[in-house]
Amino acid sequence: MQNVTDAFVKFAQETTYDSIPPEVIRESKRILLDGLGNALGGIASDKGKIGIMQAKLMGGVPEATVIGVGGKYSAAVSAFANAELWNGLDMDPVPHIPPIVIPPILAMAERQGSSGKQLLTALCVGQELARRLSRVLLSIMTASIMKYGKTPDVFGNSNEHIIGAAMACGTLLGQDDKQLRNTLGISAYFCSQGVCRDWESTSPKSMIKYVPVSWMAQGAVQAAQLASLGYTGNEYTLDSEFGFPKFYCREDVWNPDKVVEGLGEQWFFTQLHYKPYPVCRYLHSVLDAFLKLQDKHHFSPEEIDAVRCHTAAFVANPDQYAVANQVDVQFSGPYSVALAAFGYKPGPAWQDKIALNDKRLAAFARKVTMHVAPEYKALRSKDPDSWYGRVEVDVRGETYVESVDYSRGTNKEGFRLTDEEIQDRFRTGANCIIPDYKAERIIGLVERLEEQEDLTQLMDNLVL
């Protein structure tokens, strides 16, 4: 059986910019640009605004920038606020690695005066370690949905990513072998409880969502800083009998061999799935199918009598017609279809207070019903990347049908978002707070990030 701790520490210490394949660096840049756009757009969310307000309350020495509004706070505090912004629209890719992993690394890199190459290296290390854990630990959620049509009673969704984030922060601090092990141990104990099922089953939806991203991001910074100061944790909690896998997994899903297989040679974090719509990914395939029908037949919302959506069993919201806040929108299939029907542009506009108060949307949502598609399970069993969705639209006595096997943004040939689409998504989010010329500068700076001696230009353009 593999020793996960030793493998993780070795990978974190030995990975250099030059050892990372160019295509991995390229995808890391795309993920970063996409996330910066989501964070700038996240200012439109109350979740993001409150994260900024909390940062101002906590304060601290001026080390790192809060995206959009500016101001420097301690690295831990800035990571807290930026994580809330990153996840505010729920438009970040899945699995939800970026909002937990990137804000603390970005804050630590700014604090340390790191170069663009050092930032990119840390981003690749942190995201890869996080993905190595989640590809095993998140399997409990997928397996339960496939078998029972619901998530487990006790599980976490992405909480474990704090470990990858913290270890990457440790590398930016120049930690030695023992300090990195303690960073791992401390961050594992900081990991929040697996109460995702509790969140799923409540309505209206709360802002903390499936994982407290801000707490995880802040904890990642503090775990690394504590270890550098000499604070200790269980250095081998990923391998000890009663360590992290025992108290976090809850069921027999831990597989050390799978966690470390090909580590340093294979990169799994680049296989994430982008989200063209700021809603739960369970809803993306039916949105794709609905918009295809709308583009093909040009029917107006007023002409539609009914919309029937068929896809996976949707478990994240017990009452999808009750839309009282922005987070409710992110997990409501009927409301999402209504937004698409009335031409709201995917992005901050989908959760703007204008949309929340648009009575036409609530009325149209009542025409939309959600159903479990029998085809979904069979296709997903053949290909885990498949996300079948079928939509039937009744218009003037006619029924129009469209289906998709993969949602747009899936990491599969023909469905991946292009560089141009990533850039357009960034501009949509950036438009909420910064002028166009700064947005274009950021696109260029991220594209040439390895040439930057530090992050000053990037961070200066990310704020008003």
Side-chain angles (χ1 to χ4, degrees), residues 76 132 135 414:
R132 292 290 177 143
R135 70 192 291 259

Side-chain angles (χ1 to χ4, degrees), residues 20-316:
I20 302 172
E23 64 272 17
V24 175
I25 293 290
R26 175 178 176 271
E27 193 60 40
S28 188
K29 290 179 181 179
R30 280 163 46 92
I31 295 168
L32 176 60
L33 184 65
D34 179 75
L36 291 173
N38 291 335
L40 289 165
I43 291 172
S45 70
D46 286 349
K47 179 177 169 70
K49 292 184 180 77
I50 292 170
I52 295 169
M53 292 162 64
Q54 178 66 16
K56 291 182 177 181
L57 288 176
M58 291 190 288
V61 293
E63 296 175 330
T65 303
V66 171
I67 290 171
V69 297
K72 287 194 176 186
Y73 306 91
S74 72
V77 167
S78 294
F80 178 100
N82 290 338
E84 287 295 312
L85 290 167
W86 222 276
N87 184 240
L89 300 176
D90 211 78
M91 208 167 179
D92 48 276
V94 289
H96 296 285
I97 293 172
I100 296 173
V101 175
I102 299 181
I105 295 174
L106 194 61
M108 186 63 77
E110 186 179 5
R111 175 188 188 268
Q112 295 298 107
S114 303
S115 68
K117 283 186 177 181
Q118 289 172 318
L119 171 61
L120 285 167
T121 304
L123 289 174
C124 290
V125 167
Q127 290 180 98
E128 184 62 19
L129 293 180
R131 184 66 183 112
R132 292 290 177 143
L133 292 170
S134 70
R135 70 192 291 259
V136 171
L137 298 177
L138 276 177
S139 65
I140 186 176
M141 176 174 67
T142 304
S144 181
I145 292 171
M146 293 287 284
K147 187 174 182 180
Y148 305 111
K150 63 177 184 178
T151 52
D153 291 345
V154 179
F155 80 106
N157 184 348
S158 304
N159 311 48
E160 67 278 359
H161 297 159
I162 185 177
I163 295 173
M167 293 190 72
C169 287
T171 66
L172 290 169
L173 286 170
Q175 290 183 343
D176 60 25
D177 182 276
K178 187 171 183 62
Q179 289 171 325
L180 273 176
R181 294 176 194 279
N182 280 307
T183 291
L184 190 160
I186 296 165
S187 62
Y189 274 44
F190 280 2
C191 184
S192 61
Q193 297 183 70
V195 294
C196 193
R197 182 66 184 276
D198 176 62
W199 172 79
E200 286 178 349
S201 32
T202 57
S203 184
K205 309 309 295 177
S206 67
M207 291 181 188
I208 205 161
K209 298 204 281 194
Y210 32 80
V211 55
V213 292
S214 52
W215 184 252
M216 297 294 93
Q218 176 181 331
V221 172
Q222 292 178 321
Q225 290 177 326
L226 283 166
S228 288
L229 292 170
Y231 201 92
T232 59
N234 179 354
E235 296 180 29
Y236 283 90
T237 190
L238 293 182
D239 301 286
S240 56
E241 182 181 3
F242 299 105
F244 183 81
K246 182 76 171 179
F247 70 76
Y248 184 77
C249 292
R250 309 296 293 192
E251 289 191 25
D252 188 21
V253 299
W254 181 244
N255 185 341
D257 293 335
K258 185 175 180 180
V259 172
V260 301
E261 67 171 316
L263 183 59
E265 299 172 0
Q266 291 177 276
W267 295 83
F268 292 112
F269 85 88
T270 60
Q271 300 171 15
L272 82 179
H273 308 294
Y274 289 96
K275 294 172 67 174
Y277 314 103
V279 295
C280 182
R281 190 164 180 262
Y282 274 83
L283 308 172
H284 282 225
S285 56
V286 292
L287 286 168
D288 284 346
F290 177 80
L291 287 171
K292 280 187 176 182
L293 284 176
Q294 199 174 46
D295 289 343
K296 190 184 300 182
H297 300 288
H298 307 290
F299 35 67
S300 67
E302 293 76 18
E303 295 175 298
I304 296 174
D305 297 316
V307 181
R308 293 175 294 279
C309 301
H310 305 262
T311 186
F314 187 65
V315 294

